[in-house]
Amino acid sequence: METSTRFLSFLLYIYMILLPIIPSKFKISNIPFNGDVLVALLIVSYLIMIVIFKTVRNRFVNGLKDFFSNYLTIFISLLIFIMFISISYATDKKVALSESIRFSTYGALFFIIKYELNNKYISNNILKLYIYIVTLVSTIGIFEYILGIGFIQKSEHGIRTRIFSTLENSNNLGAFMLMGFFPIIMLMLNEKEKRRKIYLGIVSLLTFMNIILSFSRNAWLGLAIGSVILSLTYSWKIILGMGGLGVIALLIPQISNRLLEFTDRSQNLSRIKLWDIAFMMIKDHPLTGVGNGNYRVMYDIYKLKYKKKIEYYPTDNFHTHNVFLKIQCELGLFGTMAFVGVIVSIVANVVKFIKKVDTKFYKVFYTGFLASIIAFIFMNVIDNFFSAPKVIAFFWILVANFEGILYKNQEN
């Protein structure tokens, strides 16, 4: 393995380890040190190596040719292009620029993994390291619950402590755990070696408990949807096992009370109002949107137009709680078309990958990941995890990893 590849892979591993652990606004002597800084370091290092090393430069050129001839990466490029165009008409251009750059970094991360870090050894390490990270984060979550650490939520159905581990938000924890749950379950079911099977079984249980104890309703919904998908694509026995765990979980009063809130109008009213305001923006700006990230900028203006009284006053970091509404109201019709193209291409490509790949480890992991992807998409209908760096970065890493394996196999 070349020194440049080894160094870049080392930076990627560090990024994967530290991203979910260190706080988003962590500083060392007033100097920011977080996931954004680490991924920027990885990208800058790659650009320097393109200049210095001819082999890296050749792979970069070949990667560019593939990048603009592949449906998924064409849609990613189009979405980034629309984001930057939207800066020109956004009310707050600084916010639009910031969000456009952030998404672009995921595009760059995707490019580096697919075209530079597609070595089989690195691909294996990415998946194994991901499982270890899920293990660590889920273990911290369980200790939080035991120690009574978390967000105290009060409602007419009771008081509960919602854990968030190192993800800073209970909903983020639920989404993060859901993404890893189905691949790890699949690996456990197909593992023959006893010690590894026990380890994977423990991790599966830890992730399941974190999903439940996050008390995230959309994570619970994603768990149900993913179980159905995996039952259809792998074995109907999955739904029986998950159903059994669900029945056991219902015996816990806090969980059964939380389920009652799925249909509690008072619990859903704030989201509905946010969606209504998004629809108002869409009506006024159907083709172009209001500019990337500018939903929260325009919120106060549209709140005055809203006929019903709004009692929900979000923080500065609020969002539409629906990624499709966010894209449509901020980037318009063409942005939505590009985004839907990205999602459809990812699902189609992972199905293609599962059918074509010979390595059992990859086939089993990504069979579970397919269920996670579909569940994750449904979760984003009632929330928006594409704006949660600690969650979405791992989504792009795992997608880029299987894309890199496909690309490498085509090269060979």
Side-chain angles (χ1 to χ4, degrees):
M1 189 187 300
E2 297 173 17
T3 302
S4 58
T5 303
R6 188 179 294 110
F7 179 70
L8 287 173
S9 65
F10 173 75
L11 290 180
L12 176 63
Y13 301 153
I14 295 297
Y15 174 64
M16 290 177 65
I17 293 168
L18 294 182
L19 174 64
I21 296 174
I22 58 177
S24 300
K25 297 181 180 180
F26 183 69
K27 293 182 179 181
I28 299 176
S29 299
N30 290 323
I31 299 174
F33 183 77
N34 52 31
D36 292 341
V37 172
L38 292 170
V39 75
L41 177 61
L42 175 62
I43 294 169
V44 170
S45 298
Y46 178 58
L47 293 175
I48 293 172
M49 289 178 182
I50 289 172
V51 175
I52 297 175
F53 299 105
K54 184 178 180 181
T55 53
V56 178
R57 191 160 56 249
N58 289 339
R59 286 193 292 271
F60 171 74
V61 172
N62 292 331
L64 277 180
K65 293 176 182 177
D66 179 82
F67 195 84
F68 292 107
S69 61
N70 179 288
Y71 284 118
L72 171 57
T73 43
I74 287 173
F75 283 124
I76 290 174
S77 303
L78 182 60
L79 187 57
I80 292 173
F81 175 74
I82 293 170
M83 285 180 175
F84 278 97
I85 288 295
S86 76
I87 298 171
S88 63
Y89 54 81
T91 300
D92 192 324
K93 291 177 170 50
K94 184 178 179 181
V95 169
L97 176 62
S98 175
E99 290 224 359
S100 300
I101 290 174
R102 179 181 289 280
F103 187 83
S104 299
T105 61
Y106 296 134
L109 180 65
F110 178 96
F111 188 99
I112 294 170
I113 294 172
K114 179 173 180 177
Y115 300 111
E116 184 64 29
L117 303 179
N118 52 24
N119 177 286
K120 187 175 182 180
Y121 176 76
I122 296 174
S123 298
N124 288 340
N125 283 346
I126 288 173
L127 297 185
K128 291 175 181 177
L129 181 58
Y130 173 68
I131 294 170
Y132 294 143
I133 292 166
V134 171
T135 305
L136 175 62
V137 175
S138 61
T139 302
I140 293 172
I142 297 302
F143 275 107
E144 268 192 357
Y145 184 74
I146 293 171
L147 297 173
I149 300 172
F151 167 65
I152 307 299
Q153 184 181 46
K154 298 179 181 180
S155 76
E156 63 183 53
H157 298 285
I159 300 173
R160 63 187 68 92
T161 301
R162 299 178 59 180
I163 62 170
F164 47 77
S165 187
T166 59
L167 276 291
E168 302 172 344
N169 179 288
S170 299
N171 290 327
N172 287 350
L173 177 64
F176 182 86
M177 288 296 146
L178 185 84
M179 199 182 301
F181 178 69
F182 292 109
I184 294 170
I185 276 284
M186 283 297 298
L187 290 173
M188 185 270 292
L189 293 174
N190 287 272
E191 181 58 60
K192 302 299 182 184
E193 204 277 320
K194 187 175 180 180
R195 283 184 299 178
R196 284 199 293 267
K197 193 176 188 73
I198 292 172
Y199 167 70
L200 292 168
I202 292 171
V203 180
S204 299
L205 182 60
L206 288 173
T207 54
F208 177 79
M209 291 173 65
N210 273 255
I211 292 170
I212 298 301
L213 297 175
S214 70
F215 289 97
S216 170
R217 291 178 297 171
N218 51 6
W220 291 5
L221 179 62
L223 186 64
I225 292 170
S227 298
V228 172
I229 297 299
L230 202 56
S231 297
L232 294 174
T233 57
Y234 180 68
S235 171
W236 61 269
K237 294 179 181 179
I238 294 288
I239 201 73
L240 292 180
M242 293 306 300
L245 288 173
V247 170
I248 295 171
L250 284 174
L251 299 176
I252 302 173
Q254 285 187 325
I255 294 173
S256 57
N257 289 339
R258 182 61 166 160
L259 283 172
L260 294 174
E261 295 175 6
F262 270 84
T263 56
D264 188 335
R265 191 172 183 276
S266 65
Q267 289 284 320
N268 302 317
L269 193 58
S270 60
R271 268 188 174 86
I272 293 170
K273 289 179 178 178
L274 291 173
W275 296 342
D276 284 346
I277 289 181
F279 279 118
M280 291 172 67
M281 293 183 192
I282 291 168
K283 184 179 178 181
D284 288 349
H285 308 275
L287 292 179
T288 62
V290 296
N292 198 18
N294 270 239
Y295 171 86
R296 64 178 182 262
V297 175
M298 303 298 290
Y299 177 84
D300 285 334
I301 295 173
Y302 277 87
K303 186 174 69 176
L304 297 176
K305 298 180 181 181
Y306 194 65
K307 295 179 181 179
K308 301 173 186 177
K309 182 181 178 182
I310 293 184
E311 298 173 348
Y312 178 66
Y313 296 95
T315 63
D316 292 338
N317 296 318
F318 74 94
H319 50 80
T320 58
H321 285 277
N322 180 312
V323 71
F324 297 97
L325 286 181
K326 171 183 166 59
I327 296 294
Q328 179 60 44
C329 78
E330 293 182 353
L331 300 178
L333 179 61
F334 298 111
T336 297
M337 292 170 63
F339 181 72
V340 171
V342 169
I343 297 301
V344 172
S345 298
I346 288 174
V347 174
N349 286 2
V350 76
V351 171
K352 174 184 174 183
F353 176 77
I354 292 167
K355 290 180 179 179
K356 294 185 71 172
V357 72
D358 295 325
T359 305
K360 185 179 179 181
F361 177 52
Y362 297 152
K363 186 183 290 288
V364 170
F365 183 95
Y366 279 100
T367 297
F369 187 60
L370 174 62
S372 294
I373 288 176
I374 296 173
F376 186 69
I377 292 168
F378 275 96
M379 288 173 65
N380 278 275
V381 173
I382 54 176
D383 214 320
N384 175 21
F385 296 105
F386 279 83
S387 297
K390 288 175 177 280
V391 176
I392 199 60
F394 285 95
F395 174 84
W396 287 115
I397 288 170
L398 295 175
V399 170
N401 194 51
F402 84 75
E403 284 280 329
I405 297 167
L406 270 178
Y407 176 73
K408 191 71 173 180
N409 289 345
Q410 289 170 356
E411 272 195 324
N412 293 336

